Amino acid sequence: MYDLLQVMQQDGYLSSGELIALRKTCKELGENPVRILRSLNIASPEQIQEYLQRYFRVNALGDQAISLLDESYQSYIPIDLAIHYSCFGLGEENSALYVALEDPSDIGVIQQLRFFLNKRIIGISATVFQLAEGLSKIYRVS
């Protein structure tokens, strides 16, 4: 199974040296590759989202969906979990909760949310900007 960094290297976006350095950084910091790529300005949130869509078949949150968010969406995820995981719920269908996340391919976060919410989690890719706007609209946090 490929991970995001490996896909980006195979696509020519990262060199093999950058791949090794980024893997080491992720391991040392215990951090998600998506956050590392974004924080170091190696890839924009939009570029990362496009890779997640193209190679991992992840659905992406549209700006129109963001415009529809309001405080009623608080019922899906408690504020403490939403802030801790930088995510918010979008809806529920057949015992599955759709959740906007920066990296829906992060199995660890998906499993933790499943544990805390006792629901099957379907991750939807959202940029850090969309997450900030969504959390602000739903939970009134900045």
Side-chain angles (χ1 to χ4, degrees):
M1 174 129 193
Y2 293 106
D3 67 11
L4 179 62
L5 296 176
Q6 187 174 8
V7 165
M8 292 176 83
Q9 191 262 331
Q10 288 179 345
D11 200 34
Y13 193 86
L14 298 173
S15 70
S16 58
E18 289 170 325
L19 173 67
I20 292 167
L22 287 168
R23 283 197 194 284
K24 182 180 177 188
T25 302
C26 290
K27 185 176 180 180
E28 286 176 357
L29 296 177
E31 190 57 80
N32 180 304
V34 169
R35 288 195 179 128
I36 296 292
L37 288 166
R38 178 180 45 81
S39 297
L40 295 175
N41 291 320
I42 294 170
S44 72
E46 294 79 14
Q47 288 169 317
I48 294 167
Q49 190 177 54
E50 197 231 305
Y51 268 98
L52 291 170
Q53 283 181 276
R54 187 171 4 140
Y55 292 103
F56 297 95
R57 304 281 189 250
V58 171
N59 289 322
L61 186 63
D63 290 331
Q64 185 179 8
I66 293 287
S67 68
L68 301 174
L69 297 174
D70 60 32
E71 291 177 359
S72 69
Y73 286 79
Q74 289 180 15
S75 63
Y76 296 119
I77 297 179
I79 189 171
D80 58 332
L81 291 176
I83 291 171
H84 179 76
Y85 293 103
S86 295
C87 68
F88 52 85
L90 294 165
E92 205 171 338
E93 183 177 76
N94 298 329
S95 302
L97 181 62
Y98 291 87
V99 179
L101 300 158
E102 187 173 19
D103 182 6
S105 68
D106 188 336
I107 302 302
V109 168
I110 298 290
Q111 289 175 340
Q112 290 172 28
L113 287 170
R114 183 179 341 148
F115 174 80
F116 288 121
L117 300 170
N118 196 28
K119 296 190 184 305
R120 189 167 59 95
I121 304 298
I122 298 173
I124 305 295
S125 178
T127 68
V128 67
F129 307 114
Q130 291 171 324
L131 290 169
E133 186 175 350
L135 288 168
S136 175
K137 286 180 151 200
I138 296 169
Y139 300 99
R140 302 291 182 222
V141 294
S142 55

